[in-house]
Amino acid sequence: KPMTFHLGEEVIGGFAAGVVGTLLGFPLDLVKTRMQTQASSTSSSVKQRGPMSLLTHILRTEGLAAMYKGVGPPLVSLSIVNTLSFTSYSYFRQNLFHGQDGWDFNNAFAGMLGAPIFGLVTTPENFLKTQMQLDNVQAERAKAKQKELQQSVLKQNLSAVESNIQKQSLQQLKPEGRFTSSFQCARALVSSHGVTILYTGH
């Protein structure tokens, strides 16, 4: 029986897989990034936490929105990639390589054919996602440093000059992140470094 290609079904299946997979996996990816950055931090103010402890800490101190900061690019790109992946694999398997059910080298070739194109979409997405997640980390470290300096000012009997220096240091710390959205992040980075910055590590 000849195989038939159903474009609509492949598009819907791929798009749905991209959306659901991103929404379920993004908080876990955020926890992974935070654990990697806290492990490499030399600051004594950064407390080492396990996955669940870190997840609850983020929810308690930063709110649910922080769990999905930077979700825009992966939500769009992975939906596109999964849609292309489902449709291209099905099309190439049935019409170009004539793959059979089960393991078959023709099926493998059909899957590999779209990979270089997918990388053009996923590399900028992954780069922006990581930048947004690290932006939250830097904001948290600034808050911790600000708290340390405030405690230092209270504990020490400083002269007027030293006190002014400490106050200036506090004012220079920015506990807010640099980026307000994925689009603003991309625009700022491209403006400063050019579009090739989005393909770092490609």
Side-chain angles (χ1 to χ4, degrees), residues 22-23 26 67-76 125 129 132 182:
T22 302
L23 294 178
F26 196 82
M67 299 296 297
Y68 287 95
K69 183 177 181 181
V71 74
L75 187 62
V76 172
E125 165 267 311
K129 175 196 69 177
M132 293 294 290
S182 299

Side-chain angles (χ1 to χ4, degrees), residues 9 13 16 33 60 69 74-75 95 182 192:
E9 293 179 3
T33 302
R60 186 175 63 254
K69 183 177 181 181
L75 187 62
N95 298 287
S182 299
S192 301

Side-chain angles (χ1 to χ4, degrees), residues 167-188:
K167 288 178 180 178
Q168 289 175 3
S169 298
L170 284 170
Q171 291 172 354
Q172 289 173 357
L173 287 173
K174 295 181 178 180
E176 313 87 27
R178 291 183 300 156
F179 307 124
T180 56
S181 67
S182 299
F183 177 75
Q184 187 259 334
C185 174
R187 187 172 58 181

